[in-house]
Amino acid sequence: MDIEKLDREFVWHPFTQMLNWESEQNIIIERGEGVHLYDINGNKYIDGISSLWVNIFGHNNKELNDAIKEQIDKISHSTLLGLANVPSIILAQKLIEIAPKNLKKVFYSDSGSTSVEIALKVAFQYFKQKGVKFRNKKKIIAATSAYHGDTLGSVSVGGIELFHSIYKPLLFDTIRIVYPYCYRCPFDLVHPNCELRCAVEAEKIIGFHADESCALIIEPMVQGASGIITMPAGYMKKIERACKDNDVLLILDEVATGFGRTGKMFAAFHEDIHPDAMCVAKGITGGYLPMAATLFTKEIYDGFLGNYEDNKTFFHGHTYTGNQLAASAAVKSIELFKKYNLLYEIKPLISHFEKILEEFKFLDVVGDIRNIGLMAGLELVKDKQTKEAFEQKERIGHKVILKARDMGVIIRSLGDTVVIMPPLVIDKQTLDTLLSVVYDSIKSIQS
Ligand SMILES: *Cc1c(COP(=O)(O)O)cnc(C)c1O
């Protein structure tokens, strides 16, 4: 059986131009161990992007394996519609324990995209039910170059031209604020002399559209898919203030940033943000199983209470919502954070990571180096002086990741930004190997 041939014949891969796929040598993963992946030919790779930003405690982790095995011998799935189950109850309590203090209720789903859909629908319905005074609050405010998932609602609030523009006729209207992108500042200013003009403009937009806006959704501290674009200090706090002042619900999309990725449990803690809703997914199960949750304040939850015939019920629920296997993995993963004091233990590793990243500035094509916690993006440019980008057809980022692969490292680029996002338990020596391979890969494509 030629498994690679079967893949080409039957599988349509996500975010992948299949014409390229069919002509390239592709890796088929067979197993994982710690921060390493092994393919069917026995080749070993460092998992430099945590299997798309989800893995925390490594692959084939005994404690996570055992938690799932223990659960699987009881039951794998029963519905959360009209029934409860043990692991999802315990997980909800644990999520509330580690989340920003004002969040009190957990609504489960299966992916980051669905966790966003839920936040948007709840925000909309909340104001519908709040009274006639709020009846115009129907719109969502979102940021430029945002990424909130691939379903139509989450694409509506997204702002990445390459992924989203073709679907425009299918999407609902949104109001836009500028996400700070200091390397290519839309106001042509330099931080901190800019005095956060982007935030000042955003405050005006939020104020101007307050009467027609139910919520603002944003990726706190860093945008992921747009190229690891980190916010300057103070921006998030100003947005929070403007939302509170204007009765616009603040939805934090922590799908990428949650569970220690930025060095704190949630990115909200960097500026002590108290959102009205928070979306979590990716790292929630330690990277083991699909699961997501949207956390809400009690005030929002209370807005859905009423007699059945009042129709205030939130009529939404995915079939596998609150799945026991996923919930048991998530419970164990959160316990492991505490058991190994992970957020404290990785501090020196993050400092070391930042120090080594600095050295990438010596490469001719590295225009900008951005990071927060163990999450970094290296933006490659054709001309460092003018910041001129490479042409899309050159696929420079893709060339880098193919080089890295030859040297035993799996990474992925976002356009011309090379992303480095190792599992949080990576040791210093393996991190050094990962970074030196990325360095050499970038160096090798410089002409
Ligand atoms: C990945 C991601 C999503 C979408 O999550 P899926 O599980 O792929 O649907 C949403 N928001 C952010 C910030 C993400 O990084």
Side-chain angles (χ1 to χ4, degrees):
M1 179 182 59
D2 183 346
I3 195 84
E4 193 174 351
K5 185 161 164 275
L6 293 180
D7 172 65
R8 284 179 218 270
E9 189 170 351
F10 293 114
V11 183
W12 187 348
H13 287 262
F15 278 97
T16 303
Q17 176 43 256
M18 293 307 290
L19 195 62
N20 293 348
W21 181 269
E22 287 177 10
S23 62
E24 279 174 0
Q25 186 76 29
N26 301 310
I27 294 174
I28 300 171
I29 297 300
E30 189 172 59
R31 64 190 183 89
E33 191 67 54
V35 302
H36 292 99
L37 298 168
Y38 294 83
D39 70 15
I40 51 170
N41 301 314
N43 297 309
K44 178 181 177 181
Y45 307 90
I46 298 173
D47 185 355
I49 45 152
S50 303
S51 292
L52 221 55
W53 318 358
V54 297
N55 197 283
I56 295 171
F57 295 99
H59 297 281
N60 206 0
N61 177 293
K62 181 155 190 333
E63 288 171 288
L64 286 167
N65 287 2
D66 287 347
I68 296 169
K69 285 176 188 168
E70 197 180 307
Q71 179 59 44
I72 211 168
D73 284 332
K74 293 180 188 151
I75 185 171
S76 296
H77 181 75
S78 61
T79 182
L80 221 58
L81 279 66
L83 291 176
N85 75 57
V86 177
S88 69
I89 297 169
I90 297 183
L91 176 59
Q93 186 209 6
K94 287 196 180 294
L95 287 170
I96 294 304
E97 207 175 274
I98 59 173
K101 283 291 152 270
N102 56 322
L103 298 173
K104 303 285 187 209
K105 298 285 174 180
V106 176
F107 196 98
Y108 287 115
S109 62
D110 327 311
S111 74
S113 305
T114 54
S115 74
V116 167
E117 298 287 338
I118 287 157
L120 299 177
K121 283 175 73 178
V122 163
F124 177 87
Q125 190 174 340
Y126 173 74
F127 280 114
K128 276 255 174 219
Q129 291 169 179
K130 201 172 155 90
V132 284
K133 198 169 140 233
F134 302 96
R135 64 163 178 251
N136 287 329
K137 286 172 91 68
K138 295 175 188 166
K139 288 199 176 163
I140 310 283
I141 306 173
T144 52
S145 67
Y147 180 79
H148 297 292
D150 298 333
T151 54
L152 286 173
S154 56
V155 167
S156 293
V157 288
I160 299 181
E161 283 296 304
L162 177 66
F163 304 164
H164 300 150
S165 58
I166 191 166
Y167 304 110
K168 271 217 173 98
L170 296 176
L171 308 180
F172 59 74
D173 253 355
T174 54
I175 295 156
R176 291 285 155 180
I177 58 168
V178 166
Y179 200 92
Y181 182 9
C182 295
Y183 181 60
R184 299 178 189 279
C185 176
F187 302 101
D188 231 349
L189 297 170
V190 179
H191 184 70
N193 292 339
C194 61
E195 295 181 328
L196 294 180
R197 168 79 73 79
C198 49
V200 174
E201 294 299 321
E203 285 166 339
K204 283 186 204 157
I205 291 168
I206 295 164
F208 185 79
H209 293 282
D211 288 348
E212 53 171 340
S213 303
C214 57
L216 179 148
I217 184 164
I218 193 159
E219 294 158 83
M221 302 318 289
V222 54
Q223 271 187 341
S226 65
I228 318 296
I229 297 177
T230 47
M231 275 182 187
Y235 179 92
M236 197 55 236
K237 199 72 196 166
K238 279 187 187 296
I239 300 301
E240 178 192 41
R241 184 79 264 148
C243 287
K244 298 270 183 274
D245 289 348
N246 290 290
D247 219 353
V248 171
L249 299 179
L250 174 62
I251 302 168
L252 293 188
D253 179 349
E254 292 250 16
V255 172
T257 50
F259 304 98
R261 182 48 66 187
T262 69
K264 295 188 186 285
M265 187 55 93
F266 295 105
F269 296 139
H270 287 277
E271 297 198 348
D272 191 26
I273 306 297
H274 294 88
D276 300 286
M278 187 169 96
C279 308
V280 294
K282 287 196 170 92
I284 189 173
T285 59
Y288 261 61
L289 287 159
M291 162 158 266
T294 316
L295 279 53
F296 294 101
T297 59
K298 181 155 188 312
E299 195 179 2
I300 293 180
Y301 171 85
D302 285 346
F304 286 73
L305 302 180
N307 294 322
Y308 187 75
E309 62 276 17
D310 296 342
N311 281 335
K312 285 188 171 182
T313 305
F314 185 45
F315 288 108
H316 186 117
H318 303 281
T319 310
Y320 279 98
T321 287
N323 173 265
Q324 282 99 322
L325 292 182
S328 62
V331 166
K332 180 53 76 177
S333 182
I334 293 173
E335 282 171 4
L336 294 183
F337 268 94
K338 212 179 242 173
K339 180 173 175 192
Y340 295 108
N341 206 0
L342 186 64
L343 295 176
Y344 178 79
E345 291 295 330
I346 59 168
K347 279 179 192 198
L349 193 73
I350 292 171
S351 306
H352 177 71
F353 184 53
E354 286 170 349
K355 203 177 92 213
I356 307 289
L357 282 173
E358 275 292 303
E359 294 172 15
F360 282 78
K361 69 170 182 253
F362 298 118
L363 291 167
D364 290 339
V365 294
V366 174
D368 197 22
I369 302 162
R370 298 182 285 266
N371 100 289
I372 180 166
L374 284 184
M375 180 174 191
L378 304 164
E379 184 168 337
L380 308 184
V381 290
K382 198 167 173 176
D383 186 326
K384 239 166 151 158
Q385 241 54 49
T386 62
K387 303 183 183 178
E388 186 192 343
F390 284 101
E391 279 181 63
Q392 190 190 355
K393 69 166 192 285
E394 285 194 61
R395 302 199 73 200
I396 215 76
H398 189 64
K399 283 182 185 148
V400 171
I401 69 163
L402 292 182
K403 280 280 177 205
R405 188 181 285 193
D406 289 342
M407 293 186 262
V409 160
I410 301 289
I411 46 172
R412 226 183 122 78
S413 63
L414 294 160
D416 291 346
T417 297
V418 175
V419 177
I420 310 169
M421 226 188 279
L424 301 190
V425 293
I426 194 168
D427 61 275
K428 186 159 169 272
Q429 197 188 344
T430 312
L431 182 64
D432 284 343
T433 307
L434 164 62
L435 288 167
S436 79
V437 166
V438 175
Y439 192 94
D440 292 344
S441 305
I442 296 174
K443 199 166 174 190
S444 76
I445 56 101
Q446 290 183 166
S447 46

